[in-house]
Every structure is written in C-alpha cells, then in structure tokens.
Amino acid sequence: MEFKFLQPNETPMDLLLLADPDESVVQEYLPQSKILAAISEGNIEGIIVFLETSESKLELMNIAVYPQYQKKGIGSQLLKESIQWALLHRFSSIELGTGTFGYQLAFYQKAGFRVDKILKDHFLNNYPAPIFELGIQHKDMLRLKLDLDNMAAQ
Ligand code: COA
C-alpha cells in the first residue's frame, strides 16, 4: 500500500460519492482540495480530501474506501497518514461534519476527534434528497474537531 497525493481530475467521482451523495457539493470543494489516496498495485482503493479553511485549519471534506476494501484498516491508515502530514505542516486543527449516529462516529473518535458542536436540521436544510442510514434519516450534523496543537504538545 502506498499513499500518494492526487490531482482533482485524477480522483474517482464514484469513490467521492460514497461519502457525499451530492455531486454538485463535491464539485464545489474538489478543485481547491488536497487529496491523499491509498493505492495498491496501481489501483486507488481509498481517498481522503481536505480543504485549508485558514492558514492553520483543515476541514476533512471526504473520506471513502471502496466497499470491497473496507474494514481492512485502509480508512484508519488514510486518517493516520493525513494527521501526520497536518502535524508536520503545523496545522492547529482538523474539523469535519458528520451524522449523529453510525460507525463513522466511533471511527473518528478512535483517531482522537471530539464533538465540538451540533448543527440542528443541517441535512434537512442543505441536501436536496433525504439521507437514510440503518433505516434512520440523518437530520442533524455533528461538528467534530481534532486539536493538533494539543497532540503535538504530548
Ligand atoms: N459498517 C460498520 N463498520 C464499519 C464499516 C461498515 N461499512 N466500515 C468500516 N467499519 C468500521 C471497522 O469495523 C472499524 O472498526 P474497529 O476499529 O472497531 O475495528 C472502523 O470502522 C475503521 O475501519 P477501517 O478498516 O480502518 O476503515 P475503512 O477502510 O473501512 O474506511 C470509511 C472507513 C468510513 C472511510 C469507509 O467505511 C467508507 O468509505 N464508508 C463510506 C463512506 C463514508 O461513510 N465516509 C465517511 C463520511 S462521514
């Protein structure tokens, strides 16, 4: 497995859409994003996408691994590699938005992310179609934050 930065036009849209169902939203952030890919034998198996929202802050916009490669540690490795990259480049935090339930919450918290705030009705007001997971509709968004300054000091 190797980790390599990709250009936006090298990033498979079907992979990005696994994490973000709205292609028009993906197209808004992709051109300005940093994209790290997990590649095995020349095949892209997973990606993680960041935007620099200020000189010191990163926003995790998208993380996705193709279903046939999930649960093998690739997502965790992508997150770990990018946290190391962010520490090296002296970013002070990584933030992200996610649903209020699902395995993704545990996935991020294992990497050190903490709940920062809640955006009520975010998925109802900002997405054209309802989003369901485990038979439950996503309505509110949780904002999570990883404090890199704190990590670097430890
Ligand atoms: N259902 C339930 N648990 C899952 C899962 C699934 N489909 N996929 C991963 N997990 C769990 C793993 O069991 C593991 O838990 P553990 O640490 O207790 O063993 C944990 O998530 C991390 O697994 P890992 O193998 O490192 O992650 P991954 O390579 O499967 O990638 C995602 C994780 C989230 C990137 C991947 O599941 C994915 O692409 N999901 C669809 C897109 C998505 O939801 N992106 C995030 C949007 S907020």
Side-chain angles (χ1 to χ4, degrees), residues 33-114:
S33 293
K34 275 239 167 313
I35 305 142
L36 185 68
I39 299 174
S40 186
E41 295 174 2
N43 293 318
I44 297 172
E45 297 188 347
I47 44 104
I48 188 163
V49 179
F50 290 95
L51 257 189
E52 279 188 46
T53 48
S54 78
E55 251 183 44
S56 64
K57 285 186 181 172
L58 289 171
E59 173 88 11
L60 198 168
M61 304 302 293
N62 194 309
I63 178 167
V65 172
Y66 280 118
Q68 65 269 37
Y69 305 121
Q70 286 178 12
K71 301 192 187 181
K72 294 174 188 242
I74 297 171
S76 303
Q77 283 186 70
L78 274 167
L79 206 48
K80 203 169 149 196
E81 288 287 322
S82 33
I83 291 169
Q84 289 309 319
W85 178 87
L87 283 167
L88 193 68
H89 290 82
R90 304 202 185 285
F91 284 96
S92 63
S93 66
I94 303 176
E95 296 182 19
L96 63 89
T98 189
T100 50
F101 59 90
Y103 68 91
Q104 295 91 339
L105 258 186
F107 169 70
Y108 292 126
Q109 294 198 40
K110 271 192 182 167
F113 284 82
R114 303 265 310 264

Side-chain angles (χ1 to χ4, degrees), residues 102-146:
Y103 68 91
Q104 295 91 339
L105 258 186
F107 169 70
Y108 292 126
Q109 294 198 40
K110 271 192 182 167
F113 284 82
R114 303 265 310 264
V115 174
D116 196 35
K117 52 184 139 169
I118 179 163
L119 304 183
K120 293 282 279 181
D121 296 332
H122 180 86
F123 291 108
L124 300 178
N125 295 336
N126 293 281
Y127 284 80
I131 304 170
F132 280 88
E133 195 176 343
L134 304 171
I136 309 165
Q137 186 173 9
H138 278 289
K139 294 179 181 168
D140 309 312
M141 174 182 271
L142 280 185
R143 295 284 306 165
L144 306 188
K145 185 173 175 180
L146 180 67

